[in-house]
Amino acid sequence: MELIVKILLIQQVTHDVRRFRVEKPVGYTFKPGQATEVSINKPAWRQEKRPFTFTSLQGDPFLEFTIKRYPDHHGVTDQLHQLGAGDELVLRDVWGAIEYKGPGIFIAGGAGITPFLAILRQLSVEGKLDGNTLFFSNKTPADTIDQKELKTMLGDRVEFIFTGGSGEGYTKGYIDEAFLKQRVKDFGTHFYICGPDPMIAGLSAILKGLGASPDAVVFEK
């Protein structure tokens, strides 16, 4: 399935992340945390498909993607950031394994926050955020996607961790075994992980070693 949609709005989120709102085809449905393959509707780029997660909700009258630009690659994300309202994208079938199974701990690295944005926004709409915590790692505060919104939704249940720069109210360091031991009281809860592949592999192994059930660790396979 291929569906051509027009870009309705583009907003700058951070220095290298933009929010793209596009037309929502009639009958096009998804669950928070799911994604689709997207390409640019231009001859040279139509077959250059990349997976992006929906950051909108099913009830919104538009579809939304929050996309980080990687200019060094001279690829799809670089081209996307050069588009404007009225340009067209090609969407395909919905897929994805990151699904909310109940209250737990969300661990995100960089643009890995995107599937969690939709999940947390949906829980906020439903009044079901209680019992959920977010650990969000980035290089610096300037790299953090939707920081104010996440803080508004989660309050003291979100912790921003930075591997580079630091600031008042922020944690400098890494989400590693020592970090988790200090902050997690119950390793029998659900864990949701999204970020670079090495981060997912490393944290999955750490959580297993600390007693988390493999069935309770949710990540994109």
Side-chain angles (χ1 to χ4, degrees), residues 15 39 76 93 103 138 213:
H15 62 97
S39 62
V76 173
D93 292 331
N138 289 275
S213 166

Side-chain angles (χ1 to χ4, degrees), residues 10 41 69 88 125 130 213:
I10 299 176
N41 192 30
R69 182 184 190 184
E88 294 178 339
V125 167
D130 286 353
S213 166

Side-chain angles (χ1 to χ4, degrees), residues 99-120:
E99 183 177 355
Y100 184 69
K101 296 184 176 182
I105 295 173
F106 291 81
I107 305 174
I113 190 66
T114 53
F116 300 158
L117 285 175
I119 291 171
L120 293 170

Side-chain angles (χ1 to χ4, degrees), residues 181-200:
K181 279 183 175 179
Q182 187 178 42
R183 288 161 175 80
V184 179
K185 297 178 180 179
D186 178 16
F187 285 94
T189 190
H190 289 100
F191 289 91
Y192 305 90
I193 310 171
C194 192
D197 289 342
M199 174 185 173
I200 293 174

Side-chain angles (χ1 to χ4, degrees), residues 35-57:
T36 187
E37 286 193 325
V38 177
S39 62
I40 299 167
N41 192 30
K42 294 182 179 181
W45 292 97
R46 187 177 175 113
Q47 297 308 314
E48 293 293 326
K49 298 172 280 189
R50 299 292 185 274
F52 294 112
T53 307
F54 302 102
T55 51
S56 51
L57 302 183

Side-chain angles (χ1 to χ4, degrees), residues 42-168:
K42 294 182 179 181
W45 292 97
R46 187 177 175 113
Q47 297 308 314
E48 293 293 326
K49 298 172 280 189
R50 299 292 185 274
F52 294 112
T53 307
F54 302 102
T55 51
S56 51
L57 302 183
Q58 181 57 44
D60 291 331
F62 51 80
L63 298 176
E64 180 186 281
F65 303 95
T66 304
I67 299 174
K68 182 175 180 178
R69 182 184 190 184
Y70 297 92
D72 294 346
H73 298 179
H74 302 293
V76 173
T77 63
D78 190 42
Q79 289 294 315
L80 281 167
H81 276 239
Q82 296 178 44
L83 299 179
D87 285 326
E88 294 178 339
L89 303 181
V90 184
L91 310 183
R92 294 167 177 85
D93 292 331
V94 172
W95 57 273
I98 297 182
E99 183 177 355
Y100 184 69
K101 296 184 176 182
I105 295 173
F106 291 81
I107 305 174
I113 190 66
T114 53
F116 300 158
L117 285 175
I119 291 171
L120 293 170
R121 286 169 175 169
Q122 185 64 47
L123 291 174
S124 180
V125 167
E126 296 174 358
K128 296 179 180 179
L129 277 173
D130 286 353
N132 290 290
T133 298
L134 170 64
F135 300 135
F136 189 10
S137 176
N138 289 275
K139 289 182 181 178
T140 71
D143 297 306
T144 308
I145 296 170
D146 291 329
Q147 181 175 343
K148 288 183 179 179
E149 180 185 2
L150 291 167
K151 185 67 177 177
T152 298
M153 284 196 294
L154 292 163
D156 59 5
R157 289 171 293 161
V158 57
E159 183 171 353
F160 300 103
I161 301 97
F162 301 108
T163 58
S166 60
E168 185 178 351

